[in-house]
Amino acid sequence: MINNLPRSRGSVRSHGRNLLVFGVVGAFVAAGLVALAGTASAATTLGASAAERGRYFGTAVAANRLNESDYVNTLNAEFNSVTPENEMKWDALEPSQGSFNFGNADRITSHAQSRGMRIRGHTLVWHSQLPGWVSGLGTTQLRSAMNNHITTVMRHWQGRIHSWDVVNEAFQDGGSGARRSSPFQDRLGNGFIEEAFRTARAADPTAKLCYNDYNTDGANAKSNAVFAMVQDFRNRGVPIDCVGFQSHFNAQSPVPSDYRQNLQRFANLGVDVQITELDIEGSGTSQANNYRTVVDACLAVSRCTGITVWGVTDKYSWRSGGTPLLFDGNYNKKAAYNSVLTALGGTPGGGGGGGGGGGGCTVSYTETQRWGDRFNGQVTVRAGSSAINGWTTTVTVTPPQQVSATWNGSPSWDTSGNVMTMRPNGNGNLAAGASTTFGFTVMANGTWSAPTLGSCTAS
Ligand code: XIL
């Protein structure tokens, strides 16, 4: 059956036949709520299981991957926080003095907001990915350029960023504990960090303000120097709320044995700690075990508020040769994924065996046909390791796109008209591992991005 939608959407309630449809939908909604309540202790995604432990689980996101449907579907299904990987860096936002370019970062923040994900801001003051004009400035000009950059950028997203990396990587590696040379350090001296944090607090008082660095994951000369700075800030009332530990690990730079203790000593200063750019090179069981160590450490420190991995899939990692992430290049879950999910208290494999009747389900999208003005999409809904009696998922289109028809499903719409919630058309029974499909036509109206799918909820 084909439902022709755009014109009839507003009047659907007035047709007796459709009232029956609404009755069925209501029953499914009620069943879904019961199933959710019944399986609350067996979350099946990283974000949901972290949320049950009072934390977020995020990923770095690249704006130019947001039209790849597997990328977006994995992002939407698994993560509840995002960090723009490059789009909020100084060279991206203010490539020439006073001329700001927010477009790519806005694509990420609107995507995140429309799905209820949190956003980490990364990063305001950093020696790298810094446009040449900044290094050419004298002391007075540099001071006002830094403060103007912080203020303009933070005000643009005021109230929408849960934590900002105000200053990134200001300390040297090695045994000196000294500050790293940068235009900011060299012209403004040690006080630049304090000034950046004070400016940031004034620009957006709702954001948590973090100092972020790498090779600070265990106790060493560099982390001791950062520790002394944070302690001094806390003693003198300089605004700082959190410390970010990048946590880029490999054989040369393994997870330190005192990782948890190090997080705890910073937390004891009265700041939150966050794992901000986690990736661990390797494969198989050893990689999985290292990930588990990191997650366990965060869970053991009550002020460790969340974990962000530095990318969705190995194929787009900044260190792709080291396959350091949780999903492989085909978006398959790796052993490391299962280890993280289990450490967070979740249930791998789509939630089978959790009792309460929820066997879990997954969804995937393909475009099946395209014309000059529209395309057809098809979603496959597959049951997990147990049989299910019903399912729900969402399909979100990008305005000005509009869904003009659907088949093999029973749709309902949010007020924006962009988010279609799809449920079975009649009987929603699927045996373990079995699948069904529904389809729809999208009028492109000039925009050809693929729709994004929400996660699948089984009942
Ligand atoms: C990296 C990005 O992942 C790359 O795409 C980019 O080419 C270089 O920067 N520390 C940080 C991150 O704070 O911003 C860096 O991200 C990785 C190291």
Side-chain angles (χ1 to χ4, degrees):
M1 178 182 100
I2 296 201
N3 306 313
N4 282 307
L5 292 160
R7 308 283 167 252
S8 63
R9 230 186 272 160
S11 60
V12 74
R13 286 162 198 276
S14 62
H15 297 291
R17 194 171 139 273
N18 282 317
L19 280 177
L20 179 65
V21 171
F22 266 79
V24 173
V25 168
F28 273 105
V29 169
L33 287 175
V34 169
L36 269 181
T39 56
S41 60
T44 57
T45 66
L46 301 171
S49 41
E52 287 181 358
R53 311 299 301 267
R55 289 162 174 83
Y56 65 85
F57 203 97
T59 178
V61 167
N64 63 357
R65 305 296 180 197
L66 286 177
N67 7 358
E68 185 180 321
S69 64
D70 284 343
Y71 183 93
V72 172
N73 292 338
T74 307
L75 167 67
N76 291 350
E78 294 289 344
F79 299 95
N80 55 13
S81 173
V82 299
T83 306
E85 185 170 355
N86 289 297
E87 293 78 354
M88 288 186 177
K89 293 172 182 176
W90 196 315
D91 62 352
L93 291 182
E94 194 185 4
S96 59
Q97 186 161 18
S99 132
F100 287 84
N101 173 4
F102 293 111
N104 283 333
D106 277 339
R107 286 178 61 200
I108 298 176
T109 55
S110 6
H111 182 88
Q113 268 197 299
S114 73
R115 321 252 351 158
M117 298 169 177
R118 297 161 150 228
I119 305 161
R120 291 196 87 257
H122 176 78
T123 176
L124 294 164
V125 183
W126 187 28
H127 66 276
S128 185
Q129 294 177 267
L130 186 66
W133 65 265
V134 180
S135 345
L137 300 176
T139 301
T140 310
Q141 296 165 306
L142 180 66
R143 184 184 305 284
S144 65
M146 178 182 86
N147 289 324
N148 181 57
H149 183 80
I150 294 171
T151 302
T152 309
V153 170
M154 288 185 78
R155 292 234 166 113
H156 180 76
W157 287 290
Q158 187 162 19
R160 296 159 61 192
I161 306 283
H162 78 75
S163 303
W164 263 110
D165 291 332
V166 179
V167 175
N168 196 33
E169 302 182 355
F171 286 80
Q172 273 180 31
D173 290 316
S176 72
R179 301 293 177 86
R180 177 198 292 273
S181 167
S182 72
F184 308 105
Q185 180 67 36
D186 301 348
R187 310 244 152 78
L188 309 180
N190 282 354
F192 91 86
I193 303 184
E194 172 172 349
E195 182 161 352
F197 274 84
R198 290 190 187 280
T199 303
R201 179 67 95 224
D204 183 356
T206 68
K208 293 210 172 198
L209 307 181
C210 303
Y211 175 80
N212 191 53
D213 215 327
Y214 68 96
N215 280 351
T216 50
D217 311 296
N220 57 39
K222 187 175 177 181
S223 68
N224 290 346
V226 175
F227 183 87
M229 177 188 75
V230 176
Q231 191 169 43
D232 171 54
F233 280 16
R234 298 286 300 159
N235 287 341
R236 291 191 298 112
V238 179
I240 185 166
D241 308 303
C242 38
V243 176
F245 297 83
Q246 293 186 9
S247 306
H248 295 293
F249 297 122
N250 58 20
Q252 289 70 48
S253 176
V255 184
S257 56
D258 61 348
Y259 190 65
R260 180 183 61 73
Q261 289 90 330
N262 191 52
L263 296 177
Q264 186 66 60
R265 74 169 172 148
F266 277 87
N268 291 346
L269 293 175
V271 290
D272 288 346
V273 294
Q274 302 179 13
I275 296 169
T276 52
E277 305 182 14
L278 178 63
D279 57 6
I280 309 178
E281 294 188 18
S283 62
T285 311
S286 74
Q287 183 180 48
N289 288 342
N290 286 327
Y291 264 102
R292 170 176 270 281
T293 302
V294 170
V295 173
D296 284 346
C298 181
L299 292 176
V301 175
S302 60
R303 289 201 82 138
C304 181
T305 56
I307 300 175
T308 299
V309 290
W310 206 238
V312 176
T313 159
D314 281 342
K315 72 175 166 175
Y316 299 142
S317 162
W318 72 311
R319 319 196 282 175
S320 59
T323 61
L325 295 172
L326 303 178
F327 292 87
D328 72 13
N330 296 315
Y331 298 93
N332 295 313
K333 295 168 179 172
K334 295 165 59 179
Y337 169 95
N338 287 328
S339 153
V340 168
L341 185 65
T342 310
L344 291 169
T347 309
C361 54
T362 54
V363 280
S364 60
Y365 170 77
T366 43
E367 181 177 313
T368 51
Q369 220 174 339
R370 186 178 280 212
W371 297 268
D373 59 344
R374 66 193 190 282
F375 59 92
N376 281 354
Q378 177 173 289
V379 173
T380 302
V381 180
R382 187 177 297 281
S385 51
S386 331
I388 61 174
N389 303 317
W391 47 264
T392 308
T393 191
T394 58
V395 176
T396 303
V397 298
T398 312
Q401 291 175 337
Q402 272 209 304
V403 176
S404 60
T406 72
W407 50 96
N408 294 342
S410 176
S412 57
W413 301 85
D414 77 337
T415 48
S416 74
N418 305 324
V419 184
M420 173 174 75
T421 298
M422 191 62 103
R423 296 183 172 83
N425 200 351
N427 174 344
N429 295 341
L430 285 175
S435 65
T436 184
T437 62
F438 64 84
F440 48 88
T441 300
V442 179
M443 301 308 298
N445 295 322
T447 297
W448 292 94
S449 41
T452 59
L453 303 183
S455 52
C456 189
T457 303
S459 52

